[in-house]
C-alpha cells in the first residue's frame, strides 16, 4: 500500500460520518435504546424516547449504533422502516408530513399533498383590502380556533394514512415505523405542536407499532411540550454527557490515526503505526492532549480536527507524524478569537485598547470613553523619554477608536444618549489578560510600546 492510499484512508476516518471501528463508552445507553426499539418491532409496542445531551456528546452516534445492531439481526429484516426528519429542514408540519410520505415511497399521497398545496388560494381567508374588522370576521366564520382544529384534524388524518400503509391484521405483525426527530426542540417550537401531537397520539393509540426517537441538545425540551402532547409522551429520556477520562480521550485520538481494518498490512502501514506510537508517547503530545481534555468542551470533533491537521501535513518528504505539527495545529485550533483579532490591530488601535484595559484595572475605575483613553495615550506619547514613539492627532485616534468599536472589542454602554461622541460611555469586551496576550504576540509592536503596555496592564 502506498503512502497516498494510507493518507486517503486516514482522511476518510477523520472527515467521514461513518461509525468508527472502535467506540468508547455508550454501552448502557446503546443497550437501552436497542431494547426499546426491538420491543416496538417484535412485540408491536409503541414507544417514544428523548435522547438529550450537549453537542458533540454522541447522540447521532448512539442512534447509528442502535440501528446497526438492529440491522445485524436477521429476524428483524423487513420488519421496520426508519424515517429521518430534521427540525432545521422539516420544521413545518406540512413539510415533515410530505417528507415522511416521500421516504415511505407513497407517491400517490405525495401527489395529493402537492396538488392540495397548489390549488389552495393565495389569499385564502383574507377579505378585501378596504374591509374593516367586522367584515373580515363575517367572511371568516370559523375563526382562528376553528382553523387550528381543522388543521389538527387534517394532520392527524395524514398520519393515520401513513400508518395504514404499514398496518397488517394485528399490531404484532404490522411493520414498525421508527421516526427519528433530529433537533427535536425545533419541532416543539413549531406552531401548536400539531405534528408532535399527532405522532404521539398515534403511538399511544397502538393501532400500528410506532417508535419515536427525538434528538436534542436542550435539556429542557420536555418543558417545551404542551400538556396535551406531554401526556402522550412515554417520558423515557436518555441523558448523555461529555464526561470522558483522559485515558479514553488519548485512546480515541490514537484510534483516529490508526488505519482501518480494510487496509492491507504493508511496510508503509507498519512504519506508520510505529511512528504513531512514538508520537503519542511523546511528552509534548501528552501535554497537548491533557490541555485539550481539560478544556470545557471535551468535544470529540476537536480531536478529529487535530488528527486531520496531522494527516494533512504528511508527504513523501515527511512520511511520519511529527509532534511539532500537532502543537502547531493545537495552537491554531485553541487560539482565542479576540486575541487573534487584536494581534491584527494597528499599533495605535492596540494602544487605545490597552489604555481602556488599564483603566478597568483601577480600584475605582472611571467611566470609559474615547476621551479618557486618548488622554492615557497622550500622556505616554508626550513623555520626553518616548520621543521615538510616533505621535498621532486626535482625529486619527478617533478613526482608530471607531475601528475598535466596529470589531466589537468595545461597545457603547448606552445607545441613546445626549453626551458628545468623544464622551459617550463604552464597555470593554476583552479582559486585561487577553490584551496582555495580544501585546506579547503582536508582530510589529515597537519594543518601547510593548514595555509600556506591560507596565500599564500590570497596574504599575
Amino acid at each position: 500500500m502506498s503512502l497516498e492510499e494510507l493518507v486517503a484512508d486516514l482522511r476518510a476516518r477523520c472527515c467521514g460520518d461513518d461509525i468508527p471501528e472502535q467506540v468508547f463508552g455508550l454501552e448502557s445507553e446503546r443497550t437501552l435504546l436497542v431494547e426499546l426499539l426491538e420491543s416496538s418491532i417484535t412485540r408491536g409496542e409503541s414507544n417514544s424516547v428523548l435522547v438529550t445531551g450537549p453537542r458533540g456528546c454522541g447522540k447521532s452516534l448512539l442512534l447509528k449504533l442502535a440501528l446497526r445492531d438492529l440491522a445485524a439481526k436477521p429476524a428483524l429484516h423487513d420488519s421496520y422502516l426508519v424515517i429521518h426528519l430534521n427540525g432545521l429542514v422539516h420544521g413545518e408540519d406540512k413539510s415533515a408530513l410530505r417528507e415522511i410520505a416521500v421516504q415511505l415511497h407513497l407517491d400517490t399521497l405525495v401527489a395529493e399533498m402537492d396538488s392540495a398545496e397548489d390549488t389552495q388560494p393565495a389569499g385564502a381567508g383574507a377579505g378585501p383590502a378596504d374591509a374593516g374588522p367586522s367584515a373580515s370576521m363575517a367572511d371568516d366564520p370559523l375563526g382562528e380556533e376553528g382553523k387550528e382544529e381543522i388543521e389538527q384534524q387534517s394532520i392527524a388524518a395524514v398520519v393515520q394514512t401513513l400508518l395504514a400503509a404499514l398496518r397488517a391484521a394485528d399490531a404484532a405483525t404490522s411493520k414498525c415505523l421508527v421516526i427519528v426527530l433530529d433537533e427535536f426542540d425545533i419541532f416543539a417550537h413549531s406552531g401548536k405542536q400539531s405534528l408532535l401531537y399527532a405522532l404521539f397520539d398515534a403511538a399511544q393509540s397502538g393501532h400500528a407499532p410506532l417508535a419515536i426517537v427525538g434528538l436534542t441538545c436542550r435539556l429542557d425540551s420536555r418543558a417545551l411540550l404542551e400538556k396535551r402532547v406531554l401526556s402522550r409522551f412515554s417520558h423515557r429520556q436518555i441523558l448523555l454527557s461529555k464526561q470522558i477520562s483522559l485515558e479514553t480521550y488519548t485512546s480515541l485520538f490514537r484510534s483516529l490515526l490508526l488505519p482501518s481494518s480494510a487496509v492491507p498490512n504493508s511496510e508503509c502501514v507498519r512504519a506508520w503505526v510505529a511512528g504513531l506510537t512514538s508520537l503519542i508517547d511523546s511528552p509534548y503530545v501528552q501535554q497537548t492532549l491533557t490541555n485539550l481534555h481539560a478544556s470545557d468542551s471535551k468535544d470529540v470533533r476537536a480531536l478529529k480536527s487535530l488528527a486531520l491537521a496531522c494527516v494533512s501535513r504528511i508527504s513523501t518528504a515527511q512520511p511520519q507524524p511529527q509532534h511539532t505539527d500537532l502543537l502547531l495545529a493545537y495552537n491554531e485550533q485553541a487560539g482565542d478569537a479576540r486575541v487573534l483579532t487584536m494581534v491584527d490591530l494597528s499599533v495605535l488601535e492596540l494602544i487605545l485598547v490597552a489604555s481602556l484595559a488599564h483603566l478597568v484595572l483601577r480600584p475605582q475605575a472611571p467611566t470609559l470613553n474615547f476621551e479618557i483613553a486618548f488622554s492615557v495615550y497622550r500622556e505616554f506619547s508626550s513623555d520626553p523619554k518616548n520621543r521615538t514613539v510616533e505621535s498621532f492627532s486626535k482625529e486619527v485616534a478617533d478613526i482608530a477608536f471607531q475601528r475598535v468599536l466596529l470589531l466589537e472589542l468595545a461597545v457603547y454602554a448606552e445607545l441613546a444618549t445626549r453626551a458628545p461622541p468623544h464622551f459617550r460611555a463604552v464597555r470593554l469586551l476583552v479582559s486585561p489578560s487577553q490584551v496582555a496576550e495580544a501585546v506579547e504576540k503582536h508582530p510589529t509592536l515597537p519594543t518601547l510600546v510593548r514595555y509600556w503596555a506591560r507596565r500599564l496592564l500590570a497596574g504599575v
Side-chain angles (χ1 to χ4, degrees):
M1 184 182 210
S2 63
L3 181 62
E4 290 77 10
E5 294 174 332
L6 176 61
V7 171
D9 177 76
L10 294 174
R11 282 180 181 270
R13 290 173 63 82
C14 295
C15 299
D17 202 24
D18 298 332
I19 300 176
E21 295 181 354
Q22 289 182 286
V23 179
F24 301 90
L26 302 179
E27 288 85 3
S28 59
E29 295 86 355
R30 177 180 178 180
T31 303
L32 178 60
L33 186 57
V34 169
E35 291 177 352
L36 190 67
L37 295 178
E38 191 172 0
S39 66
S40 298
I41 297 172
T42 58
R43 296 192 291 271
E45 300 176 358
S46 295
N47 292 302
S48 55
V49 61
L50 197 58
V51 182
T52 308
R55 298 194 183 275
C57 66
K59 298 185 295 296
S60 299
L61 176 61
L62 174 64
L63 178 65
K64 291 179 181 178
L65 290 171
L67 294 178
R68 187 180 68 175
D69 292 345
L70 293 176
K73 299 181 179 183
L76 302 182
H77 285 180
D78 296 329
S79 299
Y80 66 98
L81 294 173
V82 182
I83 302 296
H84 291 274
L85 299 177
N86 192 302
L88 297 173
V89 182
H90 314 109
E92 295 183 357
D93 296 339
K94 294 181 180 179
S95 174
L97 290 174
R98 186 185 185 282
E99 182 63 23
I100 294 176
V102 169
Q103 294 188 33
L104 290 177
H105 302 286
L106 301 178
D107 299 334
T108 304
L109 182 59
V110 173
E112 292 177 358
M113 296 175 68
D114 291 342
S115 61
E117 187 73 20
D118 294 337
T119 56
Q120 183 178 0
D130 56 347
S134 58
S136 63
M137 292 177 63
D139 293 340
D140 188 10
L142 292 177
E144 291 297 329
E145 294 183 359
K147 288 182 179 180
E148 292 173 1
E149 183 178 355
I150 292 177
E151 183 180 358
Q152 177 65 60
Q153 293 174 357
S154 175
I155 293 175
V158 174
V159 171
Q160 292 300 328
T161 303
L162 295 172
L163 295 178
L166 309 173
R167 191 177 303 160
D170 58 275
T173 57
S174 297
K175 184 170 291 190
C176 179
L177 186 62
V178 180
I179 299 181
V180 179
L181 302 177
D182 203 355
E183 304 291 346
F184 179 84
D185 52 290
I186 298 182
F187 289 100
H189 280 294
S190 175
K192 293 292 184 178
Q193 302 180 359
S194 302
L195 176 66
L196 294 180
Y197 176 78
L199 292 177
F200 287 145
D201 186 63
Q204 191 181 53
S205 63
H207 294 310
L210 178 63
I212 304 172
V213 182
L215 306 179
T216 178
C217 61
R218 288 195 57 166
L219 299 178
D220 62 340
S221 294
R222 288 175 55 184
L224 300 176
L225 300 178
E226 296 180 357
K227 289 184 178 180
R228 59 174 186 149
V229 179
L230 190 61
S231 64
R232 287 160 174 78
F233 177 54
S234 299
H235 295 277
R236 294 185 179 92
Q237 194 167 7
I238 299 176
L239 298 175
L240 302 181
S241 65
K242 291 185 180 180
Q243 299 302 323
I244 181 173
S245 63
L246 179 59
E247 292 76 15
T248 304
Y249 207 63
T250 305
S251 301
L252 180 58
F253 179 73
R254 176 184 174 85
S255 68
L256 290 172
L257 291 177
L258 282 176
S260 61
S261 58
V263 175
N265 193 7
S266 62
E267 184 64 30
C268 178
V269 174
R270 289 192 292 269
W272 173 267
V273 174
L276 177 62
T277 303
S278 61
L279 172 72
I280 295 180
D281 292 340
S282 169
Y284 300 102
V285 175
Q286 290 290 332
Q287 184 60 43
T288 300
L289 294 177
T290 301
N291 295 338
L292 193 60
H293 176 266
S295 64
D296 294 335
S297 63
K298 292 185 176 61
D299 198 337
V300 176
R301 292 173 292 187
L303 274 185
K304 285 190 173 183
S305 300
L306 203 63
L308 180 61
C310 291
V311 174
S312 301
R313 289 176 170 83
I314 299 301
S315 62
T316 53
Q318 182 184 310
Q320 295 295 328
Q322 304 293 327
H323 72 271
T324 53
D325 297 335
L326 186 69
L327 293 177
L328 180 61
Y330 172 74
N331 291 331
E332 293 176 353
Q333 180 175 314
D336 192 328
R338 294 194 181 276
V339 173
L340 296 177
T341 300
M342 288 187 287
V343 168
D344 292 333
L345 294 178
S346 66
V347 174
L348 178 58
E349 292 165 353
L350 187 57
I351 287 176
L352 293 176
V353 174
S355 300
L356 292 175
H358 165 68
L359 297 171
V360 170
L361 291 173
R362 289 185 177 180
Q364 295 181 348
T367 302
L368 302 182
N369 53 44
F370 166 77
E371 193 68 33
I372 194 171
F374 182 75
S375 65
V376 175
Y377 160 69
R378 176 63 68 186
E379 181 182 354
F380 165 69
S381 61
S382 60
D383 192 335
K385 299 179 182 178
N386 304 325
R387 287 175 295 179
T388 58
V389 177
E390 185 177 2
S391 179
F392 296 95
S393 64
K394 194 171 187 178
E395 290 74 15
V396 175
D398 184 34
I399 296 175
F401 191 76
Q402 294 302 319
R403 185 166 185 268
V404 170
L405 295 174
L406 184 64
L407 294 174
E408 295 186 352
L409 299 175
V411 294
Y412 284 119
E414 297 179 2
L415 296 179
T417 179
R418 296 182 179 180
H422 290 177
F423 292 90
R424 289 185 63 180
V426 298
R427 180 163 52 90
L428 192 63
L429 298 182
V430 291
S431 64
S433 60
Q434 289 175 310
V435 179
E437 184 178 353
V439 167
E440 298 300 327
K441 293 183 177 180
H442 200 283
T444 60
L445 198 64
T447 304
L448 189 60
V449 176
R450 196 186 309 273
Y451 176 72
W452 168 79
R454 287 174 184 168
R455 298 180 68 250
L456 202 67
L457 296 172
V460 178

